[in-house]
Each structure stands twice: as structure tokens, then as C-alpha cells.
Amino acid sequence: MKQQRLSGISSLFVVCAAILVAASIFFPWWRMEFFAPQYPEGLNIIVYPNKLDGQIDIVNGLNHYIGMAEFSEENFPELSYLAYIIGGLAILTLATALLRRKSILYGLIAVFMVGGLLGVYDLYRWLNNFGTNLSPTAPIKVDPFVPPMLGENQIANFITTSYLGIGSYLIMAAFILIVIPLWKDRRR
């Protein structure tokens, strides 16, 4: 039985996907912005695959008042290895393009889907942990809450907005690029 091969154009789509996956390492994947009357310019937490950025110290100082744990790279062990996983995914995607086998492409699509689901679960787990494990000795008492992964929320006088960063959009575009060959080469 002859294995189905990807066309040259389809392989080019997959090469482009590999480039997008590799590029995503250098861009934020998720961010949360905080606005309040005393911070009209806003504060933010920016999450890259390998680091946290933004006004982390100020946010931690404010979160202390409601008993929330500190945001730090040490508290997110994923940041120490996630960039390597993404680099490996980029290499796997490029290898799929070079091997041009549909069966390997199906496996790559599965890896993207499982990785995406694990990423969403991990983000939810961390947000749940930070928002529901508040210190009982905090100066300001608030009910436990789960900050939204996407969208807006209000805690006290702070309005928070969470949204995806460019890196996440690059990964989504890469996923679309690896699915296109299934449609494009469906009659081959």
C-alpha cells in the first residue's frame, strides 16, 4: 500500500507553520492588564514562553493586600522548559514538511491539539490556584475568584482584562497552515 504524500505546495504550508512556531518563542503568549483610578495608565503582566514581563513588582505589591501569592518566574516552572518544547515542535513541524507524509501530518496535528489543550488547562490551573488560595491573614478580604483567561473581570476597584498575545496567534496560524494540506490534498 502506497503512503499518501503531501504536495510540494502543502509542504510549503507546513514549512511556513514551522517558521511561525519558532517565531512564537520571541513574542508574548498571554497578558493581563489592570486598571484602577490610582493606575489610569494601567499595569500588566506579560507571559512569554520563557519569562514574565510587565510591572510584576507593583502587581505583586497590590496582590499582597488580598492575600494572593506572588507572580514570579520561580512560581511557574513551565517557563524554564516551555521554549524548548516549542523549539522541538518547530523542528517536528519542519521534519513533517520535509518527509511529506500525510500520516506524519496527522500525528503533528494531534500533537498541536494535545499541546493546545494542555496549555489552556495549565493557564486555567494557575489562575485558579492564584485566585482561590488567598491568604486568610490578608489585610483586605475578598471572596476567592478565578481571573478569566480571556475577557474582563473586576476585583475591588481594579478592572482586569486578559487576552492572548502575538505568540498565541502565531501558533494558531501555524495550526491552520498544517490543516490546510488535509483539505488541499484530499483528492490526491
Side-chain angles (χ1 to χ4, degrees), residues 62-69 130 133-140 142:
L62 294 168
N63 283 344
H64 164 75
Y65 290 109
I66 63 169
M68 188 179 280
F130 275 90
N133 292 321
L134 303 175
S135 171
T137 61
I140 299 173
V142 297

Side-chain angles (χ1 to χ4, degrees), residues 73-172:
E73 291 176 12
E74 293 77 31
N75 284 344
F76 296 97
E78 299 90 337
L79 298 177
S80 67
Y81 59 81
L82 186 57
Y84 297 108
I85 291 173
I86 296 164
L89 180 60
I91 291 168
L92 182 62
T93 305
L94 183 59
T96 301
L98 297 174
L99 295 172
R100 297 178 59 183
R101 303 259 186 256
K102 276 192 178 179
S103 59
I104 297 172
L105 180 62
Y106 287 124
L108 179 65
I109 289 169
V111 168
F112 264 80
M113 291 172 64
V114 169
L117 290 172
L118 287 174
V120 168
Y121 168 74
D122 192 51
L123 178 57
Y124 174 79
R125 182 178 63 88
W126 280 114
L127 291 172
N128 184 62
N129 184 48
F130 275 90
T132 59
N133 292 321
L134 303 175
S135 171
T137 61
I140 299 173
K141 304 294 183 216
V142 297
D143 291 332
F145 64 98
V146 179
M149 283 190 276
L150 298 173
E152 195 173 280
N153 189 29
Q154 183 165 355
I155 297 294
N157 65 338
F158 277 87
I159 295 175
T160 62
T161 305
S162 305
Y163 53 93
L164 299 177
I166 292 171
S168 292
Y169 290 113
L170 291 174
I171 291 292
M172 285 186 253

Side-chain angles (χ1 to χ4, degrees), residues 30-45:
W30 185 80
R31 62 188 302 147
M32 182 179 273
E33 292 183 340
F34 305 82
F35 294 95
Q38 65 271 40
Y39 294 101
E41 73 286 356
L43 301 170
N44 58 43
I45 294 175

